[in-house]
Amino acid sequence: MLKALILLGLIAAFPAHADPSGTLRVIDADTVDIGGARVRLYGLDAPEMGQPCLLDGQSIDCGRWAADLVRARFEGQYARCITRDIDRYGRQVATCDVGGADIGQVIVAAGWAVAYRRYTMRYDLDEKAAAVAGRGLWASVMQDPETYRASRSIAPAAPDPACNIKGNISGNGRIYHRPGNRDYDRTVINEAQGERWFCSEAEARAAGWRAARN
């Protein structure tokens, strides 16, 4: 019995998600696939796909522009990562390196993304150096990515005010959000992907959804 309890304790001590390693494929300037895992790079925030900015007097898609630069630098190379968190989309949030170089540091220092100081000051000085030198995004006129997302994150209201519980599908499974939950306002329901509205928690649970933790 004692041996069984010790074994269970050792299993619980290991993380649920192994640290990813493998060939890197770029999704956007702060999100990559590594060894089959979707990884959100820790400590940086890149412009969204479709986010406009003014560069050299021309309006461009800054998200695609930054992603293309990251892709040219890292695509197809072997990366090793250390997982630091799991985000609300089920992605591993990790620091990663290629050939001993910290990918996040390279991206921020080149001005292809900004330091995400809300979570860490890890790349604060790298961003400041890029800003002073006018590298990458710092040579453009661009709205901060987080501010840009916030301006676009007001989700449509429920078609029926009496059925306002949001049944969302993410990497964490089928989760329902009630008004007042932390992520309720920014959760958008895409019925084409199987997401739906519920009129009660009992209805949501019966359909296979579970309650959001926050």
Side-chain angles (χ1 to χ4, degrees):
M1 181 66 177
L2 179 58
K3 288 183 178 179
L5 289 174
I6 292 173
L7 179 60
L8 287 173
L10 289 173
I11 292 171
F14 286 98
H17 296 266
D19 292 336
S21 63
T23 302
L24 184 149
R25 184 170 70 89
V26 173
I27 305 303
D28 58 34
D30 58 23
T31 308
V32 296
D33 279 348
I34 296 177
R38 181 61 52 91
V39 175
R40 174 66 162 83
L41 295 172
Y42 175 76
L44 60 149
D45 195 17
E48 299 295 314
M49 292 293 191
Q51 180 175 344
C53 66
L54 194 65
L55 183 65
D56 296 329
Q58 293 185 328
S59 179
I60 66 168
D61 179 340
C62 248
R64 186 169 300 281
W65 175 84
D68 286 345
L69 289 169
V70 174
R71 186 171 292 111
R73 174 66 174 81
F74 292 112
E75 185 82 10
Q77 298 186 59
Y78 188 87
R80 298 179 184 274
C81 303
I82 298 174
T83 300
R84 297 177 176 273
D85 199 0
I86 304 296
D87 72 9
R88 69 188 185 98
Y89 301 108
R91 300 175 300 186
Q92 292 173 249
V93 181
T95 52
C96 302
D97 76 78
V98 166
D102 181 335
I103 295 173
Q105 184 177 35
V106 171
I107 292 172
V108 175
W112 303 334
V114 300
Y116 215 167
R117 294 183 182 85
R118 193 213 295 202
Y119 297 103
T120 178
M121 298 296 286
R122 183 183 180 98
Y123 302 124
D124 174 65
L125 294 179
D126 298 293
E127 184 199 275
K128 288 175 178 174
V132 169
R135 291 193 291 265
L137 297 170
W138 299 104
S140 74
V141 178
M142 183 194 76
Q143 191 174 30
D144 176 82
E146 189 169 29
T147 303
Y148 175 78
R149 287 193 300 273
S151 70
R152 298 170 57 85
S153 65
I154 301 174
D160 181 349
C163 300
N164 61 359
I165 295 176
K166 297 179 177 182
N168 175 243
I169 301 174
S170 71
N172 291 323
R174 296 171 181 261
I175 299 173
Y176 68 83
H177 301 263
R178 297 161 297 172
N181 282 150
R182 183 189 62 189
D183 296 323
Y184 181 85
D185 289 338
R186 58 182 176 179
T187 297
V188 178
I189 297 304
N190 185 339
E191 294 181 291
Q193 294 183 359
E195 298 177 331
R196 53 181 290 195
W197 296 90
F198 294 104
C199 300
S200 69
E201 290 191 68
E203 180 189 6
R205 289 193 295 269
W209 268 257
R210 61 182 174 84
R213 293 180 180 176
N214 298 297

